[in-house]
Amino acid sequence: MSIRFLQALALALGVVAGLPASAEAPTLRWPLPLPAGQPWRIVDLREGNGIRHEEYIPRGQGVEDYRDRIIVQRMVSQNLNPETYLAHVSAGLRAHCNELTTSGLFASERDGLPSAAFTVYCSRFDSRNYGYVVAQKAVLDGNHLFVVEREWRLPAFSVDATGLPQFGSGSPEDEAIKREIRLAVRWLVEQVQPGAEVIAPAPPPPPARLSQHPKRRS
């Protein structure tokens, strides 16, 4: 069964608690430019009481046995700023991980909206034979937090004495994962922003029409 630990963390933090069930506050919406490289499909969409939750996995991966996933949440901030929210998530994960390290905390402000992003490495989740790598960004827009995460579920790995994750063999697959994580962090920092305009790529120009009349030789 899919582990929905981050949603449970949000509930534990009181992000959802206290919202009146009768008040269907409108949820702020904004387009999310999904990262390139593979086709994504939406597998979960829920909205109510001012909260919106979306989940995406690549086509070809199963809902219960996915390798990577994107989660988008929009919720009332309840006085949590982006850095505080990410710190709570990290603390909640630490209770379930044999070893945990974080990297790349990046705090910034764009268009007047403060944000923070970082990556969490959980070497093994409880007694399961896999761990998680979660790259997250939280953006504060008025009274709402926008949280976007890119998550990988990987075979259990280790964290060395310097706090660096060690995926194992140094194989091409391990290097590909590291590169994928770096690209995901760049996507979160540079492209994920409420109100950012999603610009569709320009269509290719039509092929040049060939003349129907051959040139007359002189």
Side-chain angles (χ1 to χ4, degrees), residues 6 11 40 45 48 55 59-60 84 97 99 123 125 165 175 195:
L6 290 177
L11 287 168
W40 296 88
L45 174 60
E55 291 185 25
R59 294 191 180 279
T84 303
C97 299
E99 299 171 303
S123 65
F125 189 82
E175 294 305 313

Side-chain angles (χ1 to χ4, degrees), residues 36-51:
Q38 54 188 336
W40 296 88
R41 65 187 179 99
I42 189 165
V43 294
D44 191 8
L45 174 60
R46 287 169 278 148
E47 184 170 9
N49 290 334
I51 304 163

Side-chain angles (χ1 to χ4, degrees), residues 24-35:
E24 290 291 329
T27 303
L28 300 179
R29 300 170 186 269
W30 50 284
L32 177 68
L34 294 175

Side-chain angles (χ1 to χ4, degrees), residues 55-153:
E55 291 185 25
Y56 302 84
I57 62 173
R59 294 191 180 279
Q61 295 186 26
V63 175
E64 303 298 337
D65 59 351
Y66 64 89
R67 170 187 172 273
D68 45 341
R69 176 172 66 166
I70 291 174
I71 295 178
V72 183
Q73 296 183 9
R74 304 163 176 87
M75 63 193 82
V76 177
S77 67
Q78 295 202 5
N79 297 320
L80 289 174
N81 63 43
E83 292 183 61
T84 303
Y85 177 86
L86 295 181
H88 277 297
V89 170
S90 176
L93 276 173
R94 191 176 297 276
H96 295 276
C97 299
N98 291 15
E99 299 171 303
L100 183 142
T101 188
T102 63
S103 68
L105 178 63
F106 182 88
S108 65
E109 183 171 316
R110 194 169 80 189
D111 301 327
L113 306 180
S115 67
F118 78 161
T119 307
V120 180
Y121 298 85
C122 170
S123 65
R124 182 188 294 269
F125 189 82
D126 288 334
S127 61
R128 294 170 175 83
N129 62 351
Y130 54 79
Y132 285 100
V133 178
V134 181
Q136 276 197 322
K137 181 176 183 177
V139 183
L140 182 63
D141 186 0
N143 294 323
H144 284 75
L145 269 176
F146 297 82
V147 182
V148 180
E149 76 172 53
R150 177 77 183 274
E151 170 196 314
W152 295 265
R153 186 165 60 183

